Amino acid sequence: VDAATGSVVRTIGVGVVPRSVSSDTKHVWVANCGDGSVTEIMASTGQVMRTIPVGRLTWAIASDGVHVWAADFDDLTLWELVS
């Protein structure tokens, strides 16, 4: 969404029931709780790079440019991914 105009700039398809989003300087990460996955998107292009299965109810996500952490609500685990 363009902050100045409020108009949609781009729509990007991700996993089932996107729940949480995190970004760093290169990537946007989406936690998809409907299919227990994390979607990696290239921030500069909006291209989906990969979708990673990480559990059953991926609830929250955080990233720092080196690592990505995804929390799974169903089995109470924290998954660490390398970005």
Side-chain angles (χ1 to χ4, degrees), residues 40-78:
E40 175 189 8
I41 302 164
M42 184 64 65
S44 61
T45 65
Q47 179 181 357
V48 173
M49 303 305 292
R50 59 186 169 153
T51 298
I52 307 160
V54 293
R56 292 193 296 202
L57 285 174
T58 312
W59 200 255
I61 196 154
S63 60
D64 67 0
V66 178
H67 295 90
V68 179
W69 295 271
D72 189 281
F73 183 75
D74 184 59
D75 61 8
L76 307 175
T77 56
L78 181 66

Side-chain angles (χ1 to χ4, degrees), residues 3-44:
T5 66
S7 57
V8 174
V9 175
R10 183 182 311 153
T11 302
I12 301 167
V14 295
V16 180
V17 190
R19 171 73 174 79
S20 180
V21 176
S22 181
S23 64
D24 53 49
T25 59
K26 295 181 183 178
H27 305 95
V28 177
W29 301 91
V30 182
N32 306 300
C33 72
D35 61 5
S37 70
V38 169
T39 301
E40 175 189 8
I41 302 164
M42 184 64 65
S44 61

